Amino acid sequence: MVHLNENFLKLPGGYLFPEISRRVRAFSAENPPKPLIKLGIGDVTQPLAPAVVDAMRKATDEMAHKETFRGYSDDSAGYDFLRNAIADYDYIARGTSITADEIYVSDGAKSDCGNIGDIFGTDNTVAVCDPVYPVYVDTNVMAGRAGELGADGRWSDIVYLPCTEETGFFPALPDASKPIPDLIYICSPNNPTGTAATKEQLKVWVDYANQNGSIILFDSAYEAFITDDTLPKTIYEVPGAETCAIEFRSFSKTAGFTGTRCGYTVIPNTLERGGVSVGKLWARRQNTKFNGVPYVVQRAAEAVYSPEGLKQTRETIAYYLNNAKVIRDGFEKAGLTVFGGVNAPYIWTKTPGGMPSWDFFDTLLKKACVVTTPGAGFGPAGEGYIRVTAFGDADATREAVQRIVDTL
């Protein structure tokens, strides 16, 4: 008889965003009084940059001719033209020592954040911020690293690092009563709280990881939204990170690739544990389970780094950041307590009067016809908040803010 992976059966209910979709579909069937405006799931609304589309079109034309057709890539880590472009712009230009051979192109940061666990033993202790992007927790539950789910909504074998208003939405080192975590997830700019870490804050964790042999799994999917030049865009701007950190990046929000799928993971050659290169293990995993990102998509991603591509994608990011300002300003004028939305596309907002997150979500859905994300879906510390994204259409965002203000 076949035995299922019982760790999957431990997962409570559905994944957060399908549950939101289920509630939205049910409400839509009731003939809502106004058209729905979706500011919940962080999907982009603006089209790909013209330079990206041109590169994709050209690469597609190449696929129509025998002389320029591309099949399997020689290396699942990506074509040299894209890896070199990433290294030059995202790392060498930032003063780091990261090179192209330390970059592994993939179909997105979400996939890599989940798949990275394949190369680590199930006996490793995992630490996550609370609130947290659900993928970090759920994939470790699936792998058997989480233990049992407690009545407080936390898993027994996971170390939770509070990221609350009191901590400035950045985690402090765990106290001595907790086990030293082997794998530490940190996201900056943070999803869901919309706050960005300083070099000084990251240095504390880099030093801690190096002292204890831990590895930081650093999700930097939203780095393109950092406008403060004093803030690091990569953890490798912090001395010592090359020996303790893996970084995940994405073109999804940077360049609108949510439906096109492209991202990359950086594992420095100096990162070893037990005398084994972590990067080589990841390469072995990818070569076994992954055939690489399509050539057409990689050419499109390369175009993001062209002068035209950089200009066009920056304009789109500015568009979303202006949406974030509209949301912040509107909510603050309405008396709501608001965080984030300055160096990130997410606004983290306290619910009025301490209302439970899902209740406020339902209120805004049914009365304002606006879809948000309940903070409780990101972990126990997210209770009492909602997350709103800046990825909507500008006119729709203004309308949504006005509807919410009118509802309060």
Side-chain angles (χ1 to χ4, degrees):
M1 180 177 176
V2 171
H3 295 279
L4 301 177
N5 181 346
E6 294 186 1
N7 292 311
F8 278 70
L9 303 180
K10 295 181 179 180
L11 292 167
Y15 183 58
L16 169 62
F17 298 110
E19 171 59 20
I20 290 173
S21 297
R22 185 193 67 78
R23 295 192 184 206
V24 170
R25 285 194 302 271
F27 176 64
S28 296
E30 299 174 0
N31 300 312
K34 301 175 184 177
L36 287 176
I37 299 176
K38 297 182 179 181
L39 299 181
I41 296 175
D43 197 3
V44 295
T45 56
Q46 298 305 296
L48 295 171
V52 170
V53 175
D54 288 345
M56 188 179 295
R57 185 179 293 114
K58 181 180 177 182
T60 301
D61 289 342
E62 289 181 42
M63 300 296 280
H65 302 281
K66 183 177 180 179
E67 298 77 15
T68 51
F69 173 79
R70 304 292 182 111
Y72 287 127
S73 171
D74 293 335
D75 189 343
S76 66
Y79 288 99
D80 287 344
F81 61 77
L82 178 55
R83 298 169 82 189
N84 285 327
I86 291 169
D88 289 345
Y89 184 81
D90 288 338
Y91 294 99
I92 295 173
R94 300 291 302 182
T96 79
S97 60
I98 298 299
T99 54
D101 66 324
E102 298 168 308
I103 294 167
Y104 304 83
V105 178
S106 72
D107 62 348
K110 178 180 180 178
S111 300
D112 287 357
C113 283
N115 292 332
I116 196 69
D118 285 1
I119 66 173
F120 297 112
T122 57
D123 57 345
N124 285 297
T125 300
V126 174
V128 300
C129 296
D130 183 16
V132 61
Y133 182 43
V135 171
Y136 309 155
V137 172
D138 287 359
T139 54
N140 280 288
V141 173
M142 294 171 180
R145 297 189 189 93
E148 301 299 326
L149 184 62
D152 62 354
R154 294 179 173 88
W155 295 89
S156 60
D157 291 348
I158 290 181
V159 176
Y160 287 84
L161 307 169
C163 288
T164 62
E165 185 176 356
E166 290 72 27
T167 70
F169 298 103
F170 189 79
L173 298 178
D175 60 47
S177 67
K178 296 179 180 179
I180 295 173
D182 302 300
L183 303 173
I184 304 163
Y185 287 85
I186 295 177
C187 179
S188 180
N190 186 265
N191 177 16
T193 66
T195 54
T198 66
K199 286 184 182 179
E200 291 74 21
Q201 288 174 318
L202 292 178
K203 185 67 166 61
V204 171
W205 279 100
V206 166
D207 290 346
Y208 177 85
N210 279 322
Q211 290 165 8
N212 293 288
S214 307
I215 291 180
I216 296 171
L217 304 176
F218 188 71
D219 186 349
S220 186
Y222 303 98
E223 57 79 25
F225 290 84
I226 294 176
T227 56
D228 185 340
D229 291 337
T230 67
L231 297 176
K233 290 203 167 192
T234 167
I235 197 169
Y236 302 116
E237 293 181 51
V238 179
E242 294 87 351
T243 54
C244 69
I246 296 172
E247 182 164 285
F248 306 97
R249 288 279 192 98
S250 172
F251 291 98
S252 287
K253 310 303 168 36
T254 300
F257 277 49
T258 54
T260 308
R261 306 309 307 151
C262 192
Y264 60 90
T265 289
V266 179
I267 306 181
N269 294 330
T270 51
L271 179 54
E272 297 183 350
R273 289 298 180 268
V276 176
S277 165
V278 176
K280 287 184 178 178
L281 283 186
W282 180 242
R284 184 68 173 88
R285 186 268 175 206
Q286 293 294 78
N287 286 331
T288 300
K289 293 189 174 184
F290 184 58
N291 276 328
V293 174
Y295 171 74
V296 172
V297 174
Q298 292 197 51
R299 279 298 187 191
E302 178 195 26
V304 171
Y305 297 100
S306 68
E308 298 83 3
L310 289 170
K311 178 178 181 295
Q312 293 160 3
T313 54
R314 284 169 180 163
E315 289 171 351
T316 301
I317 289 167
Y319 177 96
Y320 292 136
L321 284 173
N322 187 66
N323 282 349
K325 185 177 186 303
V326 168
I327 296 168
R328 279 186 60 98
D329 290 350
F331 284 8
E332 287 176 344
K333 288 179 181 178
L336 293 173
T337 302
V338 184
F339 305 95
V342 177
N343 292 292
Y346 295 119
I347 296 85
W348 190 239
T349 304
K350 275 189 177 180
T351 61
M355 182 185 297
S357 296
W358 279 105
D359 289 356
F360 194 44
F361 167 88
D362 286 334
T363 296
L364 296 181
L365 175 62
K366 295 175 180 179
K367 292 186 177 181
C369 295
V370 175
V371 181
T372 59
T373 307
F378 297 100
E383 181 57 271
Y385 292 85
I386 60 165
R387 190 195 73 174
V388 181
T389 81
F391 290 118
D393 171 81
D395 291 338
T397 297
R398 284 190 288 271
E399 171 67 17
V401 170
Q402 189 59 54
R403 289 187 195 179
I404 291 173
V405 169
D406 292 344
T407 299
L408 298 176

